[in-house]
Structure formats: structure tokens, C-alpha cells
Amino acid sequence: MLALITGAVDDRSARGIAAAVSRLVTAGTLPAGARLPTVRDVARELGISPTTVSEAWRSLARAGAIQTRGRSGTFVAAPAVPRQRLRYAQLGSRVSEVRGGLIRDFSTGIPDYDLLPGLSEALRRIGDARLTTSYLDGAVLPGLEEVLRERWPFPPEAITVVDGAMDALDRITGVVVRFGDHVLVEDPAFPPTLDLLETVGATVVGVPLDDQGLRPDALTAALGTCDPVALFLQPRAHNPTGTSMTAARADKLARILARHPGITVIEDDHAGAIATAAPVSLGRRLPDRTVHVVSFSKSHGPDLRLAAIGGPSRVVTAVTDRRLLGPGWSSRLLQAVLLDLLQNPATVRQVADARAEYARRRTTLLTALEARGVTATGADGINIWMAVANQQVALLTLAAHGIAVAPGAPFEVTHLDTDHVRITAGLIHDDYAALADIFAEAAGAELRGSGPRSATHPRGWR
């Protein structure tokens, strides 16, 4: 075991040692349950300080790759991150602790169920749904694949269907990213994506945005500091800022990335059909390196648990093959329901109406906030990213009004210049003026027409 590990190390830094051990684990050469040699034995064999090996072991433990069991030793283990450490777990509301009951929860990032199409008629139309004849049937219904290919923003080599956008990102990450790899993400970014990358031991590098998407100068600068294996993007209705990437910006980013052939672009089109911007993808210029994910949760229903992955066969086929050892496929019954919804004229109109209504709600709230001197963005999707003087004070101020929003900190890769909160504006359908007054109070902005106002701290804010 000692010779195996030390023989695999070609970089004697802590990260290099950790990466070498991780590769052995990934390859199965170090199976789960295998006991690792002691820190001192590894250090002596490599001719380095035990402190360096200890640091490598700590990195592997944080990533869930190994587990220390006191005097029993250190063992290869399956990754596991306690829920309380996840950024995603920090997004939930604590209004009940302040007021004793939640009145309005705008922290969730989920669609308005009243705007989703019903499934009853679709279920009736697909009949008895005898869709599976073998466990080795294709992962995607042929009719659904045909529709997906027609709508894809670039011609994909392969397409598969999985159980939602995060399932897609998880499985793609498992194919593309290894412990110690550098990965570029938008900053701010979706917290579960950051949790996922931290879990696999990736080194995350944030790249700032502007109102057209990822900044080309920032991408160039990031590429000059590391050698990343992947870039994660949300091309439309970026969560949390609402930014949608323009076609011109996508072309500019693709030209930059063309000089770095080792990078796989992973696009999460999480908003799908409720995004007002047209579909855009770097895959139009980099089809052999772009994996595009389209979710149907916000447009057609979260409980459908369906998202499509399209891109190079080397990634998509690897995802499909790995699923054969787990769930096998995503329910073909639900795929048939989705296919019906995508083709039914009444449902298509209903989704278009929902898209327009989300845009109206978002624009109405943004206009009201702007009139009160509040800085907020939300050009697309269902969320608004609102700047606040102090995140914690803002959350507690809103909680005192029985309102929950998501804190901004879990979205940050690096600390931003201004605190923020995310408001799911798609769930707000009335009372805009009164809500804007409350949001402005929480943001620390002066209410126009009411004279100078000093915001008092909520009870227990310390």
C-alpha cells in the first residue's frame, strides 16, 4: 500500500499528494475501506515533512474521500458532507424563530404552482403507458429525443434524460471533474453547484458577471492563474442575478475558450421555457466540448424530475452507462407526459402565458424598488438579486414582517463588495407597493416622500 501511494505521487506538495491518492481511489486501486499508511510512513518514503502529508490527508477528509477513525487509522471512505455544512441548507427560512409563523416565503426559488400546466389530461392522453419492454431499452423515448433535438441550441452528438438539473450536474461532474481539479464558475453562483464541486474536492475559481453574462476579461484573467478542466455556466435567467447571456457574449467567450482545449463547458439552462431570453449556448462554436442541460422543473413541474443532457458522446454516454448501475433510466411514463406537454397546443400557450406573467411580476417589483432607491437586478427568470446594506440585518428586518428571502452569502464564491439577498419575485402577484416599502426598509434605502428614516434594528439582531 505504501509503495502504491508513493509511486503514484509525482508532485510532492500537499495538493499533489491528495490528487494522487484521489486518482487511486477513483480508479478503484484504493477501494473503499482500504486502510492508508500512516502520515509519518508516507512522509519518510517521500522524503518530505509529515506536515505536508497531514495537510493532504485533511484535504481528502474534507472532500469525503478518506475517513479518520482515531487510533484505528485512516481509511478510504465514500464522500459525505453533513447537511449543516452545505450552502444549500443555509437558504431556508428562519422566520418562525422570529415571529412565530411564516406569512410570505420568497426564499425558495421555486415556480408558482398556479402557473404550471396540469398533468391530468396528459396522463389520460398517453393511455396505459406500456413504455418499457426491457431494462436495456433506450434511456430516452424516441419521440421525446426527436423533440429535444429540434429545440437544442446546437446539434448534440448524444442526448439523455435524467432526474432534474442537479442530477444532471452531479453526473456530468462525476465524468469531468476529479479531486484537485480547478473549475471555473460564475460569481455569484447557485449554492448547490458550489456544494457539489466542494464535495468532489474541486478547486473553485469564481469569474464575475456583468449584464451580458460572464465577463471576457475576467475569464481571461482566471485562465491565466490556473489550468481548469471545466467551466460551469447558467446561460439564461442566471440564479441569482437574473442575467441572460447574449449571443455576442457567448461567441466572445467561445473564442477565448477555443485556445484552451482541455476545458469542458457545462451549461445549466435551469429556467428553460419560462426564460424570456432566447436559448444561447457556447456549443454553437464549441459543440465537441459543450454539455448543455435543459430543465423542465420551472416550466412544466418540479415533480416531473426531468432534465435533458445534450453534448459530446464521451460525456453523455458515460452518464447514461453509469446510470445503468443505479436508477437505470428516468421514468418513461414521466417522459411520455413531458412529451405530451411539449406538443400539446393548449399547454404550449399556458407555458407562454406563465413566462409573460413571471416577466410582469419581476418587472413590476423591480420598478417599485427602483422608485424607492433600491439597487436590484432581475432581467430574466423568477428571482431578483437585491443589494442590502447588511445581509443579517436585512433578513431579520424582513423576518419581523413575516417575510423570508434567501441570504446572498451562500451564492458568493468570493466576498462581493455589497451584501445581497435573493427574492423569488415569481411568487409575488400583488401588494407590490407595500412589499417594496418593506424591502426598501430592509435594504437600508431611504423611502421617498417620507423624509429621512433611520432604520431600527429588529429585536435580537445582535
Side-chain angles (χ1 to χ4, degrees), residues 26-58:
T26 301
T29 309
L30 288 178
R35 182 175 178 174
L36 299 178
T38 68
V39 167
R40 291 190 178 279
D41 286 343
V42 175
R44 183 174 59 252
E45 188 72 13
L46 291 175
I48 59 176
S49 167
T51 303
T52 302
V53 181
S54 293
E55 185 180 344
W57 261 222
R58 283 194 297 271

Side-chain angles (χ1 to χ4, degrees), residues 60-73:
L60 289 163
R62 281 196 301 271
I66 64 174
Q67 183 181 55
T68 299
R69 302 175 187 170
R71 294 183 177 180
S72 298

Side-chain angles (χ1 to χ4, degrees), residues 186 209-214 234-239 241-250 269-272 274-280 362 378-381:
E186 297 155 317
L209 305 163
D210 60 21
D211 61 357
Q212 297 183 54
L214 205 70
Q234 295 180 75
R236 296 195 290 177
H238 174 262
N239 187 353
T241 67
T243 298
S244 285
M245 183 168 56
T246 63
R249 177 59 56 84
D269 187 9
H270 69 100
I274 64 163
T276 54
V280 64
R362 194 180 61 249
D380 206 345

